[in-house]
């Protein structure tokens, strides 16, 4: 077994998170833990609060109650760019790419946070900038190889089929070399073959780079297959948390989610 794959200590802990929008309670008293190197899935019906929870984890939303501890430090207030600097990357439920730009350039945007030289330094320290550029290119080319999208590296993203666009989005997130990768429905709208490919890439990322993954997914087959643990939300409340087999047999989960057609 790959040593990277060994599940480690708790890397992120959310405690008693509550969050509402006007009268809508998106999250009610949610606590969950993410362990190093695991694949954790968050499931639940539409509107259950899954995306809101990811938004809390990466600092897009600031919950009214509760706290988040990441790598042993409890956050004061988190902003998305700080989360990114600390190694948290994500993809979005709706594809968020520059459609007119090439695959290569889109993935390159994921390197922005890794660039240390600013504009003035770029003018003065040409050598350093060059070295950074070479390193960035190298990482991006490796990701392109890894995701098997060499053949479309120069193609504008808007011209690619949906499944490949989702793969490019994964590439953009990987370009930040994250410790914790948050994926919001990376397989939504895909056909069976595209889903299988995406599953393979997610597991390979987890396996080869040791990246911790939190995944929102509706396809129960996929969830049961690739998750180490599963957290179930329903109407903003947590109704299940455990290994896939436990969750599958949890009556509250069956009633709320598995029993309903989605
Ligand atoms: N920015 C926002 N402003 C107002 N309401 C919001 C906002 N974000 C989420 N909500 C509300 O919070 C609740 C949970 O939404 P969320 O998007 O987290 O659900 P979800 O589980 O991701 O659903 P889906 O499976 O449809 O993506 C919903 O009622 C939603 O309308
Ligand atoms: Mg959502």
């Amino acid at each position: 077994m790959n040593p990277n794959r060994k599940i480690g200590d708790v890397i992120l802990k959310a405690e008693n998170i509550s969050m509402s929008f006007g009268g809508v309670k998106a999250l009610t008293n949610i606590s969950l833990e993410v362990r190093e190197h695991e694949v954790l899935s968050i499931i639940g019906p539409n509107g259950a609060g899954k995306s809101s929870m990811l938004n809390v984890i990466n600092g897009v939303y600031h919950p009214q109650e509760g706290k988040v501890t990441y790598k042993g430090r409890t956050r004061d207030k988190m902003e998305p760019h700080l989360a990114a600097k600390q190694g948290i990357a994500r993809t979005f439920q709706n594809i968020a790419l520059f459609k007119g730009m090439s695959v290569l350039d889109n993935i390159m945007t994921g390197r922005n946070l890794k660039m240390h030289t600013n504009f003035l330094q770029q003018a003065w320290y040409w050598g350093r900038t060059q070295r950074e550029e070479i390193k960035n290119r190298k990482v991006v080319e490796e990701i392109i190889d890894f995701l098997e999208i060499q053949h479309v590296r120069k193609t504008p993203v808007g011209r690619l089929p949906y499944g490949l666009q989702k793969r490019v989005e994964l590439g953009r997130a990987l370009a930040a070399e994250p410790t914790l990768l948050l994926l919001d429905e990376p397989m939504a709208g895909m056909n069976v073959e595209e889903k299988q490919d995406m599953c393979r890439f997610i597991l390979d990322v987890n396996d080869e780079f040791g990246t911790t993954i939190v995944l929102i997914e509706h396809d129960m087959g996929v969830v049961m297959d690739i998750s180490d643990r599963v957290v179930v939300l329903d109407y903003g409340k947590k109704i299940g948390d455990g290994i896939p087999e436990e969750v599958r047999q949890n009556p509250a989960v069956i009633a709320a989610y598995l029993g309903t057609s989605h």
Side-chain angles (χ1 to χ4, degrees):
M1 192 175 170
N2 185 333
N4 287 340
R5 192 58 188 81
K6 200 162 160 267
I7 293 174
D9 296 335
V10 172
I11 187 173
L12 183 133
K13 190 172 184 169
E15 290 171 274
N16 309 105
I17 301 287
S18 290
M19 161 125 226
S20 44
F21 299 95
V24 179
K25 282 193 129 187
L27 299 168
T28 305
N29 204 25
I30 304 284
S31 297
L32 62 83
E33 288 180 348
V34 183
R35 296 179 196 140
E36 215 173 357
H37 306 314
E38 78 176 340
V39 177
L40 173 73
S41 289
I42 301 180
I43 66 169
N46 291 116
K50 305 179 297 295
S51 294
S52 298
M53 197 60 214
L54 279 204
N55 283 333
V56 168
I57 291 175
N58 86 326
V60 175
Y61 288 173
H62 301 130
Q64 282 98 359
E65 284 171 52
K67 61 178 185 179
V68 177
T69 306
Y70 176 63
K71 289 186 177 168
R73 283 177 56 183
T74 301
R75 285 176 189 171
D76 220 7
K77 197 172 185 187
M78 176 62 88
E79 300 296 336
H81 68 277
L82 292 178
K85 276 212 162 99
Q86 292 174 6
I88 303 178
R90 76 172 288 182
T91 64
F92 295 88
Q93 194 163 349
N94 300 308
I95 292 174
L97 294 167
F98 299 102
K99 304 267 179 191
M101 274 166 47
S102 70
V103 165
L104 182 74
D105 289 342
N106 266 285
I107 296 178
M108 204 68 181
T109 63
R111 290 298 294 171
N112 282 347
L113 278 156
K114 296 276 170 186
M115 305 215 185
H116 298 298
T117 46
N118 61 32
F119 179 72
L120 205 62
Q121 286 171 325
Q122 281 173 21
W124 288 104
Y125 301 105
W126 191 77
R128 188 195 291 174
T129 313
Q130 282 296 97
R131 280 198 298 279
E132 237 181 46
E133 178 73 16
I134 289 165
K135 160 94 180 66
N136 287 332
R137 288 259 157 199
K138 188 164 171 282
V139 172
V140 169
E141 292 295 351
E142 279 167 7
I143 290 168
I144 287 175
D145 283 350
F146 178 81
L147 294 175
E148 297 165 14
I149 45 179
Q150 304 91 333
H151 59 297
V152 291
R153 57 201 288 288
K154 295 280 185 191
T155 308
V157 160
R159 286 211 217 129
L160 296 178
Y162 180 78
L164 275 186
Q165 292 193 21
K166 290 288 242 190
R167 212 187 288 177
V168 175
E169 220 197 350
L170 174 64
R172 185 191 47 74
L174 289 178
E177 298 176 275
T179 310
L180 174 60
L181 180 59
L182 311 174
L183 303 173
D184 196 344
E185 302 200 22
M187 284 163 262
M190 286 188 172
N191 63 36
V192 174
E193 204 176 308
E194 289 170 330
K195 276 188 189 180
Q196 280 171 351
D197 283 342
M198 187 51 96
C199 276
R200 177 164 59 87
F201 289 121
I202 291 170
L203 288 175
D204 282 354
V205 168
N206 178 248
D207 195 35
E208 288 186 28
F209 311 134
T211 312
T212 306
I213 293 174
V214 178
L215 170 84
I216 296 175
E217 183 50 49
H218 283 296
D219 185 321
M220 294 310 295
V222 168
V223 168
M224 294 298 157
D225 246 20
I226 73 172
S227 316
D228 295 303
R229 283 189 315 122
V230 181
V231 165
V232 192
L233 303 183
D234 189 28
Y235 291 110
K237 299 203 172 102
K238 188 169 97 169
I239 59 166
D241 187 340
I243 61 168
E245 202 46 45
E246 283 165 355
V247 165
R248 198 206 300 267
Q249 289 167 10
N250 179 332
V253 176
I254 293 168
Y257 189 80
L258 301 177
T260 59
S261 61
H262 194 79

